[in-house]
Amino acid sequence: MTMASGARRSRSAVAALPRSARIGALILVVLVIVAVLAPLLAPHDPNAIDSSRVLGAPDLGHPFGSDALGRDVLSRTIYAFRTSLAIVFVAVAVASLIALPLGTLAGYFGGWVDQVISRPLDMLLVLPALLLAISLIAIVGPGSLVAALAIALIYLPILARVQRASSLVVSQSGFVEGGRARGWSSASVLRRHVIPNALGPLLVQAAILAGFAVQIEAALSFLGLGTQPPTASLGLMLSEGRDVLTQAPWVEIFPGLAIAVIVLAFNLLGDGLRRHLDPQGVVS
């Protein structure tokens, strides 16, 4: 009975989401399944070089054609979903987990606590995002993990400011004042009232920024600063195919469409969550 009621509550919660959020979530679930099952779904080895298939046009055996090394574009696109989504999820998760306590403390306590937390984050905000990522990669070195950390560093001040604004609004609510009047400690008030009620805008912003993270990751890989060959990455595939665009447009078209689909899914999810979780418009 308990499991059945829990399942009903889960279905009702999903049904309460706007259609755009459900569509975006469905697309992302499909893409995640494709990424996880890449070894089973990919028709060919993504790194297998076939000299007889150099810039081969799409056909039944290779629906997306072949690239300049004869590698199957469909297989590389499927594996590239795994790379790109992993980087995006790690980057947004790391930024959100750090921004949550920082923004909550800054918004709830204010004063010198807010100044100590917010001023260093403001310094990060004044730096151009791509320049900040390139600077970090230049110091540490290129790679998928470094690209994820660079994106997380870009998003940390943005998410922290959103959480700070939301926590500031919630901390002035009557139920928070009631908790204080009952003698609850600050930790109890934060855990029971502030964080649960201030979390919505952070989730909305994280979903929206995830779409931009896909583009940043693709740009870094395109420049040779993100995922390194021979690992398949959507941005790296675009970089490798730019010299043969007129001869074999499929080498560029399908990775580009894959990026567009991921960005669209995150944007739909973020827009739906904004209308559902942030009706007051804390996230602009």
Side-chain angles (χ1 to χ4, degrees):
M1 183 67 179
T2 302
M3 294 180 60
S5 61
R8 285 195 297 270
R9 285 195 297 268
S10 299
R11 287 194 296 268
S12 62
V14 172
L17 292 174
R19 174 180 290 184
S20 60
R22 297 198 300 271
I23 294 175
L26 177 60
I27 296 174
L28 286 175
V29 168
V30 172
L31 293 180
V32 169
I33 292 174
V34 170
V36 172
L37 299 180
L40 299 177
L41 297 178
H44 303 279
D45 183 343
N47 298 321
I49 297 175
D50 184 354
S51 58
S52 65
R53 283 286 309 174
V54 172
L55 300 181
D59 56 27
L60 291 179
H62 302 267
F64 287 7
S66 303
D67 64 8
L69 296 177
R71 297 173 298 188
D72 182 58
V73 175
L74 173 58
S75 299
R76 290 184 63 77
T77 301
I78 292 175
Y79 272 85
F81 278 130
R82 169 182 288 190
T83 303
S84 298
L85 289 175
I87 291 175
V88 169
F89 285 141
V90 168
V92 175
V94 169
S96 300
L97 290 175
I98 299 175
L100 176 61
L102 292 180
T104 301
L105 294 176
Y108 180 77
F109 289 106
W112 68 267
V113 175
D114 185 17
Q115 295 297 319
V116 169
I117 294 175
S118 297
R119 296 295 78 81
L121 296 176
D122 290 342
M123 293 175 63
L124 290 177
L125 275 176
V126 303
L127 299 174
L130 195 56
L131 177 60
L132 182 61
I134 292 175
S135 301
L136 178 62
I137 292 172
I139 296 173
V140 181
S144 299
L145 181 59
V146 179
L149 295 178
I151 297 172
L153 185 62
I154 294 171
Y155 286 167
L156 173 59
I158 301 173
L159 293 172
R161 286 178 66 88
V162 169
Q163 182 64 20
R164 174 189 175 276
S166 181
S167 299
L168 184 61
V169 172
V170 173
S171 64
Q172 298 171 353
S173 302
F175 54 83
V176 172
E177 295 295 335
R180 292 170 179 163
R182 284 192 289 269
W184 290 1
S185 65
S186 296
S188 296
V189 173
L190 289 171
R191 186 178 67 255
R192 297 184 184 186
H193 290 316
V194 177
I195 292 178
N197 290 282
L199 190 59
L202 178 69
L203 297 177
V204 172
Q205 189 68 65
I208 294 172
L209 290 178
F212 291 103
V214 174
Q215 301 174 64
I216 296 176
E217 186 277 329
L220 292 174
S221 296
F222 185 88
L223 296 173
L225 302 174
T227 304
Q228 299 298 296
T231 303
S233 167
L234 296 174
L236 187 58
M237 292 175 68
L238 291 177
S239 177
E240 294 170 344
R242 59 184 169 177
D243 295 330
V244 296
L245 179 59
T246 56
Q247 300 171 258
W250 52 85
V251 179
E252 294 274 287
I253 290 175
F254 293 111
L257 288 176
I259 293 174
V261 170
I262 300 175
V263 173
L264 175 63
F266 278 119
N267 285 344
L268 288 173
L269 178 62
D271 180 68
L273 290 177
R274 180 187 59 79
R275 284 183 282 156
H276 184 68
L277 297 175
D278 187 30
Q280 300 300 322
V282 175
V283 177
S284 59

